[in-house]
Amino acid sequence: MQKVDVVLGLQWGDEGKGKVVDVLTPSYNVIARFQGGPNAGHSLKFGDENFVLHTVPSGIFRKDAVNVIGNGVVIDPVILMEEVDAIEAIQGDITSRLLISKKAHLILPTHRMLDAASEAAKGKGKIGSTLKGIGPAYMDKTGRNGLRVGDILSDEFAARYEALKAKHLGLLSQYDFSFDISEYESKWLKAVERLRKFSFIESEVEINRMLSEGKSILAEGAQGSMLDIDFGTYPFVTSSNTMAAGACTGLGIAPSRIGEVYGIFKAYCTRVGSGPFPTELFDEDGEKIRAIGHEYGATTGRPRRCGWLDLVALKYAVMMNGATALIMMKSDVLDDFDTIKVCTGYTLAGKTIDYFPFESAEKLEPVYKEFKGWKCSLKGVRSYEDFPAELKDYIAFIEKETACPVKIVSVGPDRSETVIR
Ligand code: GDP
Ligand code: IMO
Ligand code: MG
């Protein structure tokens, strides 16, 4: 039976999913995003080109691949069309290679305002949202109020838009929050019109048809497992299921159709926005990781919080996703460290635990195992055999602890800077 392989982040997002999907795309006919929306920022680098994708799947720069935006994604037409313009400036017309699910929900200008108003009202307890309207759009989806891509084709679209907007304005009036959507709204309405050039499809039917024809499909996750709405560090999470199960509901494929699950992690950890991060560093090592790894958000430009690899969280994510292979990113960022630490457990109220507890993770003290750094540049290395012994030890330990093989090691942002075992 033909299956769908999945690439997803095992940490708090920004693991390098965009790069990996771009690297793997030549082996697939179809690349499909299944959740999230423009909160994602997936960076791709090939030669002199640097690109950040928010809604469009990361297979778009390989001309043979069809890219699908699945039903589980939430779409802001303004951001999508800006992306399309930027891609088409390099690639030419992509209309035939980008298909959009009729069932994907739309992010309205007022969803963005509700996001901003809600965050402002939370004060110190704010999530640190990307403010792209993700939470409010998914709220309308589960609240059964949302507008979907397929609705654009309806004669009643304008009236339904106005009705939902009016509802949002009512909600916004309850906040002490001033705003003006007129400029964004006019861009939004124009972008909705321009979106019509794409095929709006019954993506679940199409994807299952492509599978039955033997086409190979790669599902591209956004965010990371620790930001999952159910299993992440709630409430400091995003509003969708970022785990492998999300690929089933976000594309309309049966669990039995899931093949390889590639779990991506950085050789260390980062997080952007608020919420628990047990291995976060507040010292020179954290600064050094941020500087060398250019750890600034691809969507918001915010500095990312940096810390050592958290194996407890990683093992949890491997378990929850049923990861069949691991991909370690940004190994080169650790080139210059004498000592590299890995968190193998936490102390909570004087007791050591080896799981991520429900109770406030702010009180968790990481227990570290230390590794000797490799202290050489990985930049030009293209085969596993040529890795320094210290890096091989580091990888072997992660494989033993997670009981999952590390099949790809990334040693730089470019497509070519990739070691496949
Ligand atoms: P995504 O959201 O998971 O696609 O990841 P982002 O694109 O937000 O962040 C990953 C960042 O790391 C991007 O700037 C990439 O260009 C960069 N990157 C990816 N892999 C590597 C790597 O192996 N080494 C280095 N130094 N940078 C990398
Ligand atoms: P990619 O796909 C990193 C974080 C935000 C915030 C929380 C909720 O590039 O890995 P939201 O905008 O969803 O309301 O934000 O989730 N967040 C991400 N962090 N990478 C992402 O996407 C993220 N998408 C959302 O910073 O803490
Ligand atoms: Mg990102």
Side-chain angles (χ1 to χ4, degrees):
M1 184 166 64
Q2 187 71 8
K3 303 210 170 180
V4 176
D5 294 341
V6 186
V7 162
L8 44 75
L10 296 176
Q11 296 167 321
W12 281 276
D14 302 327
E15 295 87 353
K17 299 172 290 291
K19 168 180 167 166
V20 166
V21 170
D22 174 59
V23 167
L24 295 178
T25 298
S27 310
Y28 292 90
N29 302 120
V30 181
I31 310 298
R33 272 279 303 271
F34 58 88
Q35 46 68 235
N39 49 350
H42 294 182
S43 317
L44 283 70
K45 180 165 165 40
F46 34 96
D48 294 334
E49 297 287 359
N50 279 294
F51 233 90
V52 182
L53 296 169
H54 301 288
T55 322
V56 175
S58 301
I60 200 72
F61 290 101
R62 307 279 196 176
K63 285 204 158 129
D64 294 331
V66 169
N67 290 261
V68 178
I69 300 177
N71 58 279
V73 175
V74 287
I75 298 176
D76 182 331
V78 176
I79 296 176
L80 175 54
M81 289 316 297
E82 280 171 1
E83 249 177 289
V84 166
D85 288 341
I87 298 165
E88 290 192 332
I90 309 181
Q91 290 269 299
D93 187 25
I94 57 165
T95 320
S96 62
R97 295 198 292 119
L98 182 64
L99 310 174
I100 307 174
S101 172
K102 284 186 185 169
K103 296 193 172 85
H105 279 248
L106 292 170
I107 302 175
L108 272 54
T110 37
H111 281 138
R112 291 166 61 98
M113 294 304 111
L114 283 165
D115 211 357
S118 157
E119 277 283 82
K122 284 190 165 131
K124 270 181 129 186
K126 73 175 187 232
I127 311 291
S129 166
T130 60
L131 302 181
K132 302 293 174 194
I134 304 293
Y138 278 117
M139 279 166 70
D140 268 339
K141 174 179 179 173
T142 51
R144 294 152 302 174
N145 301 310
L147 276 178
R148 298 184 290 176
V149 167
D151 295 326
I152 293 173
L153 305 175
S154 152
D155 293 340
E156 286 156 31
F157 181 72
R160 290 187 54 195
Y161 168 77
E162 288 300 332
L164 189 52
K165 178 178 128 185
K167 187 167 181 218
H168 291 162
L169 293 176
L171 291 170
L172 281 161
S173 69
Q174 292 166 34
Y175 290 96
D176 178 18
F177 184 78
S178 56
F179 61 93
D180 176 9
I181 59 159
S182 54
E183 195 186 330
Y184 202 81
E185 184 180 45
S186 91
K187 281 209 269 184
W188 192 88
L189 292 168
K190 280 189 197 121
V192 165
E193 280 312 306
R194 290 191 59 208
L195 208 56
R196 286 167 175 264
K197 81 165 184 168
F198 291 101
S199 301
F200 299 163
I201 61 165
E202 323 278 343
S203 56
E204 66 284 20
V205 177
E206 283 298 308
I207 282 174
N208 282 287
R209 185 183 56 74
M210 291 192 264
L211 280 174
S212 64
E213 287 171 355
K215 296 251 167 67
S216 51
I217 302 182
L218 182 65
E220 173 179 0
Q223 290 79 55
S225 300
M226 299 310 285
L227 290 171
D228 182 274
I229 181 73
D230 280 280
F231 300 107
T233 46
Y234 193 89
F236 301 99
V237 294
T238 191
S239 299
S240 64
N241 280 118
T242 59
M243 302 224 186
C248 295
T249 54
L251 292 175
I253 46 171
S256 56
R257 286 279 193 180
I258 298 288
E260 295 287 337
V261 178
Y262 296 103
I264 310 193
F265 67 101
K266 283 180 189 170
Y268 48 94
C269 262
T270 63
R271 168 162 209 171
V272 59
S274 332
F277 180 5
T279 62
E280 182 168 13
L281 290 167
F282 300 95
D283 60 5
E284 285 166 14
D285 284 337
E287 289 294 335
K288 191 166 159 183
I289 292 175
R290 185 175 307 110
I292 299 174
H294 303 291
E295 293 297 355
Y296 295 88
T299 298
T300 56
R302 290 178 291 176
R304 295 176 182 147
R305 301 156 64 192
C306 298
W308 297 119
L309 181 64
D310 185 337
L311 260 186
V312 182
L314 191 71
K315 280 155 78 173
Y316 180 69
V318 166
M319 171 181 81
M320 297 303 293
N321 286 298
T324 58
L326 296 177
I327 301 181
M328 185 165 95
M329 308 300 290
K330 303 193 91 157
S331 319
D332 55 299
V333 174
L334 300 183
D335 280 355
D336 191 34
F337 283 81
D338 294 323
T339 304
I340 296 168
K341 294 186 188 176
V342 174
C343 166
T344 54
Y346 310 123
T347 8
L348 177 66
K351 265 177 48 189
T352 302
I353 55 170
D354 63 357
Y355 59 92
F356 212 99
F358 180 88
E359 290 74 21
S360 175
E362 316 287 355
K363 300 191 191 95
L364 297 175
E365 264 306 310
V367 178
Y368 286 117
K369 179 174 166 63
E370 294 192 0
F371 287 80
K372 196 163 166 279
W374 41 92
K375 299 286 283 179
C376 62
S377 170
L378 299 178
K379 265 273 170 209
V381 183
R382 293 293 176 271
S383 88
Y384 181 80
E385 284 63 45
D386 295 336
F387 276 160
E390 292 85 354
L391 174 58
K392 286 183 180 164
D393 286 348
Y394 190 66
I395 293 171
F397 182 72
I398 294 166
E399 289 185 317
K400 182 166 87 47
E401 288 291 307
T402 56
C404 197
V406 175
K407 291 216 175 139
I408 300 178
V409 180
S410 179
V411 295
D414 196 90
R415 261 182 195 168
S416 62
E417 293 169 313
T418 311
V419 175
I420 301 182
R421 278 170 93 183

